[in-house]
Amino acid sequence: HCAAAGNPRPHISWLRNEVSNHRIENVIGKILISLTEVGTCQITGSYCTMSSVLQIFSTTVADGGKYICTAENTAGSDVATAQLTVNRVLYITTPPIHQIVTISETVVLSCIAMGKSQPEIHWYKNGIFLSNVS
């Protein structure tokens, strides 16, 4: 949410990661930007207040970054920023590696996962769950 007051009426736009020539636009199903005039701006000499909301649907890690709300009119401009971090719910940071060994050799397969809560790692061999593996 970003609101700005000014005279004349301010224009609000959104940028991402300080790239001035990449203004954020509405994208069907992904990004919705709404712009609302708060109150009335009809009285000469009064300030007009504009409000804008940027909504991002179905966020991904790639949506993370610095979002910048810019308000501009002929009298000047102002900016407000917000940092968005999108965390993955769960992902494997170190997958097991493919190995070739000879009969009777010991092999160690390891897998490391990270997540919001403590992830559980389960091992399968040819689609069959291995219950005694830690």
Side-chain angles (χ1 to χ4, degrees), residues 70-132:
T70 303
E72 301 172 288
N73 66 13
T74 55
S77 65
D78 198 7
V79 298
T81 63
Q83 182 69 35
L84 174 65
T85 302
V86 181
N87 293 320
R88 294 181 189 180
V89 175
L90 174 70
Y91 61 102
I92 294 174
T93 58
T94 307
I97 58 172
H98 299 286
Q99 298 182 41
I100 298 173
V101 297
T102 57
I103 294 175
S104 77
E105 265 188 89
T106 299
V107 65
V108 176
L109 299 173
S110 64
C111 180
I112 300 173
M114 292 184 68
K116 282 191 153 194
S117 59
Q118 181 66 37
E120 292 183 20
I121 297 174
H122 301 280
W123 289 91
Y124 293 81
K125 178 183 176 191
N126 299 327
I128 299 170
F129 177 67
L130 302 174
S131 61
N132 294 341

Side-chain angles (χ1 to χ4, degrees), residues 18-19 43 52-53 68 70 74 87 95:
E18 301 185 45
V19 181
I43 303 170
S52 181
V53 175
I68 302 156
T70 303
T74 55
N87 293 320

Side-chain angles (χ1 to χ4, degrees), residues 1 14-17 64-69 80-85:
H1 180 255
W14 292 89
L15 303 172
R16 182 163 171 242
N17 295 332
K66 184 178 182 181
Y67 286 82
I68 302 156
C69 171
T81 63
Q83 182 69 35
L84 174 65
T85 302

Side-chain angles (χ1 to χ4, degrees), residues 6-23:
N7 186 0
R9 172 186 289 125
H11 171 74
I12 296 177
S13 59
W14 292 89
L15 303 172
R16 182 163 171 242
N17 295 332
E18 301 185 45
V19 181
S20 62
N21 62 344
H22 286 93
R23 294 194 186 278

Side-chain angles (χ1 to χ4, degrees), residues 1-53:
H1 180 255
C2 182
N7 186 0
R9 172 186 289 125
H11 171 74
I12 296 177
S13 59
W14 292 89
L15 303 172
R16 182 163 171 242
N17 295 332
E18 301 185 45
V19 181
S20 62
N21 62 344
H22 286 93
R23 294 194 186 278
I24 299 172
E25 303 290 338
N26 286 323
V27 176
I28 295 173
K30 181 64 178 173
I31 296 174
L32 175 63
I33 298 172
S34 59
L35 186 62
T36 312
E37 186 175 305
V38 181
T40 180
C41 296
Q42 304 304 321
I43 303 170
T44 304
S46 68
Y47 282 89
C48 299
T49 301
M50 300 300 292
S51 176
S52 181
V53 175

